[in-house]
């Protein structure tokens, strides 16, 4: 459950010489506990329920740390954050984003990753980081 995931995240950070402070842990819990990607200000509003003095720099610093540690991802299209299904492991990001309900599912399909890397290299491009965002309808929202 969530506490076990948070404990693993803290251990991962500690192994890298970083600290998952109480605030960072709380922000990570908010991201992981959400059914939908959350923007920074939505996270700030949730955080204010327990930390009345929280301000935008508070949330942005915590999000930057969580991104650096590979515990969350930023979905550019939505300007929002989701938990990482492979936290702590560097990997290409592939997201399926439902236009109707806003749910975002993370994939890690090696075939997609390799196909895009190979296509890039064929035209002389050297990939460094990859995020693929696909919009459509999730299974729950798609017409039967």
């Amino acid at each position: 459950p969530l506490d076990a995931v948070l404990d693993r995240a803290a251990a991962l950070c500690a192994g890298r010489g970083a600290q998952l402070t109480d605030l960072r842990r709380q922000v990570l819990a908010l991201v992981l506990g959400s059914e939908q990607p959350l923007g920074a200000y939505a996270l700030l509003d949730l955080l204010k329920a327990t930390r009345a003095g929280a301000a935008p720099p508070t949330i942005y610093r915590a999000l930057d740390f969580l991104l650096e540690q590979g515990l969350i991802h930023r979905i550019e299209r939505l300007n929002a954050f989701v938990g990482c299904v492979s936290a702590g492991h560097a990997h290409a990001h592939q997201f399926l984003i439902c236009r109707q309900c806003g749910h975002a599912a993370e994939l890690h399909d090696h075939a997609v990753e390799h196909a895009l890397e190979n296509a890039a290299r064929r035209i002389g491009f050297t990939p460094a980081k990859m995020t693929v965002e696909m919009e459509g309808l999730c299974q729950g929202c798609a017409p039967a």
Side-chain angles (χ1 to χ4, degrees), residues 37-101:
L38 292 172
Y41 281 92
L43 283 163
L44 181 60
D45 289 342
L46 293 170
L47 188 62
K48 284 183 178 180
T50 57
R51 293 179 182 259
T58 307
I59 199 75
Y60 282 113
R61 281 192 298 268
L63 290 168
D64 286 345
F65 174 86
L66 297 171
L67 285 166
E68 287 172 14
Q69 295 300 313
L71 300 172
I72 64 171
H73 296 298
R74 179 170 186 240
I75 299 179
E76 300 291 333
R77 174 77 177 93
L78 303 175
N79 195 23
F81 302 87
V82 294
C84 177
V85 298
S86 300
H89 303 287
H91 59 278
H93 310 104
Q94 302 155 8
F95 295 102
L96 305 178
I97 305 164
C98 182
R99 286 184 170 174
Q100 191 165 321
C101 71

Side-chain angles (χ1 to χ4, degrees), residues 4 19 63 66 68 85 106 118 124 129 131:
Q19 184 181 8
L63 290 168
L66 297 171
E68 287 172 14
V85 298
E106 181 181 354
N118 290 336
K129 178 184 172 192
T131 301

Side-chain angles (χ1 to χ4, degrees), residues 103-126:
H103 178 76
E106 181 181 354
L107 300 176
H108 187 211
D109 187 319
H110 291 287
V112 171
E113 182 179 350
H114 294 302
L116 287 171
E117 286 175 347
N118 290 336
R121 285 192 176 99
R122 280 194 303 274
I123 63 167
F125 187 83
T126 303

